[in-house]
Amino acid sequence: MVEAIMINWVYVILLFILGFITYKRKSLDLFGSAVMIIMGIVIIFSAGTNWLLLIILFLVMSLVATKFSRKYKMSLGEFEGRRTSKNVISNGVVACFMAAFGGYYLPFVGGFIGAIATATADTLASEIGVLDQHPRLVTTFQKVDPGTNGAVSVLGTVSGMAGAAVIGIAAYFLGIVPNPVSSILVSIISGTVGCFMDSVLGALFENRDMLTNEHVNLLATIVGAIVGILLI
């Protein structure tokens, strides 16, 4: 028991170090790093360090995808750069909530996986999909410019599904989901559904300034979590 508590506090220290690094490297602003640390602490002491590692995996993949082809994205005006606390909350609060209760109510494990898979799939689909020169609007299938809200592409879709699969594989090896097939399928299906919901909401509401990007991300992760709960 004492050893487990000590390990948890070691991870808390590492979490502060990670927060400092993301801030210094201008990946997150000060409040974004602070919110990330708070969410991480909640996950550590409610669900465990392995659940935190899955969140960190999402963070690493999203930051790498954001930096990928930076100059090209800047030329399109699609380089997001430093993310704020709003980005952190909209992508992570649902997973944090699911983790807080996941150890006590099994279906919330599926919700946790679904929320992270959605956030991962959406981030990779957006950051890598913008490199595809032939995106189409998800609601009408009309050709649109790269980076348009609600645009989908083959490259983006494949990238998003691959990211969700990585989350599922990691969830199995971290012992969060005991069955590898179930873990991967839940992650891919919920992540893909959530990602497409993000695109639909973007096309219907964000393009009309009825919702912000943060609102869309939050609603998409809620959908992904619900799908994960239903599938687990």
Side-chain angles (χ1 to χ4, degrees), residues 49-225:
T49 55
N50 284 357
W51 292 52
L52 173 68
L53 291 175
L54 199 63
I55 286 278
I56 292 176
L57 176 60
F58 153 67
L59 176 64
V60 171
M61 286 196 293
S62 64
L63 293 179
V64 171
T66 299
K67 300 293 184 182
F68 186 70
S69 294
R70 175 178 176 176
K71 291 183 178 179
Y72 176 70
K73 291 176 184 176
M74 291 179 70
S75 70
L76 294 176
E78 295 296 332
F79 181 69
E80 189 164 352
R82 175 172 276 183
R83 297 176 186 269
T84 67
S85 57
K86 292 181 180 180
N87 298 122
V88 177
I89 293 171
S90 62
N91 281 293
V93 70
V94 176
C96 183
F97 178 84
M98 294 295 164
F101 297 96
Y104 309 98
Y105 186 55
L106 181 60
F108 277 15
V109 176
F112 179 73
I113 301 299
I116 298 179
T118 295
T120 303
D122 176 49
T123 302
L124 268 61
S126 298
E127 296 293 346
I128 298 178
V130 73
L131 305 179
D132 194 311
Q133 298 298 310
H134 307 286
R136 293 179 179 271
L137 199 65
V138 68
T139 50
T140 63
F141 294 102
Q142 293 179 331
K143 291 184 179 180
V144 291
D145 295 329
T148 301
N149 295 322
V152 295
S153 65
V154 173
L155 178 61
T157 301
V158 172
S159 299
M161 293 179 70
V166 171
I167 293 298
I169 294 169
Y172 166 69
F173 281 107
L174 289 170
I176 299 173
V177 182
N179 185 300
V181 176
S182 176
S183 183
I184 295 171
L185 285 178
V186 168
S187 187
I188 292 177
I189 294 173
S190 59
T192 302
V193 172
C195 185
F196 272 101
M197 177 56 67
D198 184 282
S199 297
V200 171
L201 292 172
L204 293 178
F205 300 106
E206 190 177 354
N207 278 337
R208 300 174 183 174
D209 295 324
M210 298 172 66
L211 292 175
T212 66
N213 180 253
E214 288 77 20
H215 294 146
V216 170
N217 288 342
L218 177 60
L219 291 171
T221 54
I222 290 173
V223 171

